Amino acid sequence: MPSTTIRTMRLPAGDDVPVLGQGTWGMGERSAHRIAEVAALRLGVDLGMTLIDTAEMYGDGGAEEVVGEAISGRRDAVFIVSKVLPSHASRRGVAAACEESLRRLRTDRIDLYLLHWRLGTPLAETVAGFEALKGAGKIRHWGVSNFDTADMIDLAGVADGRNAQTNQVLYNLTRRGIEYDLLPWCRDRAIPVMAYSPVEQGALADDERLAKVADRHGASRSQIALAWVLRQDGVIAIPKASRADHVRDNRAAHDIRLTPADLQELDRAFRPPTAKQPLEML
Ligand code: NAP
């Protein structure tokens, strides 16, 4: 077991969550992989990565079912994040979708329920639906995903819109656009940014530009990519790993401290933004 505990971050509502969690996109798609996926998530929870991110979209509900199995008997030890599709973002739609997610997750509450991305439904309506779910105890908090700065400003302008507890967005060494405006905007308001695809869906594990820093730390390239996302306050990373060795590596990445020289080297290889870039999404 690692000797350190995972750093936590406080949500605006007051809950402390680990800055390193686990993603589940791609899980629950093939029954042959199910045992390994459940085992990976359980191992991650054992190692302190108790925040689990999922969505009704992933595997058409299959990923939520995998999470439900993985957390069976340890519900209170985990913080579940799930997401509603924009096609279900009406007031009635979120209520119905949430019931289905709760059933698949085999739980009575979702800790943090996110709008997966913004589409046509007025934000005020989705927020009203989320607030009603909160009132009914079906969700504890709500937030958004794939919201650019202008979307966050719109959200802050609707009733109860400032109750959002996170914005989950694409962020890794090759996707640094949010550093220009969205990340500072969220940070100024103490809204955690949840970085998805922190190892660019595995691509950074093979990226030659990380080799030297990785060698210096006796770490893998993927671990450096993850340590880089975690280097700063206000960011939570949710790598997905269905292999036990990846889960262990990700947990260990939390303990890597990048030096100023490492960070400069990485800035040269992966340039920070110098102008506004529209938010990218996967
Ligand atoms: P990711 O976490 O960047 O990468 C996952 C891939 O990297 C998997 O193929 C995994 O392999 C591999 N990997 C993980 N740890 C590794 C390690 N230590 N060494 C080498 N390879 C490693 O990409 P992601 O799944 O797209 O993003 C993470 C999570 O964010 C998702 O699962 C999902 O929960 C969330 N997400 C949200 C949105 C959104 O729109 N809100 C979009 C994308 C993702 P194995 O699985 O084989 O172990």
Side-chain angles (χ1 to χ4, degrees), residues 10-45:
R10 185 151 294 175
L11 301 182
D15 300 46
D16 290 323
V17 296
V19 296
L20 179 59
Q22 307 186 73
T24 62
W25 192 15
M27 291 190 182
E29 291 179 359
R30 291 192 209 145
S31 53
H33 295 173
R34 190 175 179 110
I35 290 173
E37 290 164 357
V38 168
L41 290 175
R42 284 193 179 147
L43 172 63
V45 172

Side-chain angles (χ1 to χ4, degrees), residues 23-25 53-54 58 83 116 145-146 168 196-202 205 222 238-243 246 249-250 282:
T24 62
W25 192 15
D53 177 78
T54 189
Y58 302 160
K83 309 183 203 80
H116 209 146
S145 177
N146 297 300
Q168 184 181 114
Y196 74 68
S197 308
V199 292
E200 186 63 14
Q201 304 203 302
S222 181
I238 47 167
K240 174 259 181 181
S242 25
R243 278 175 45 177
H246 288 166
D249 278 3
N250 293 347
L282 293 179

Side-chain angles (χ1 to χ4, degrees), residues 24 48 70 76 120 125 148 185 196 212 231 245 252-253 258 264 280:
T24 62
D76 292 343
E125 187 174 341
D148 207 340
W185 193 94
Y196 74 68
K212 264 168 68 183
R231 76 199 182 286
D245 58 332
L258 297 174
Q264 275 172 19
E280 298 177 276

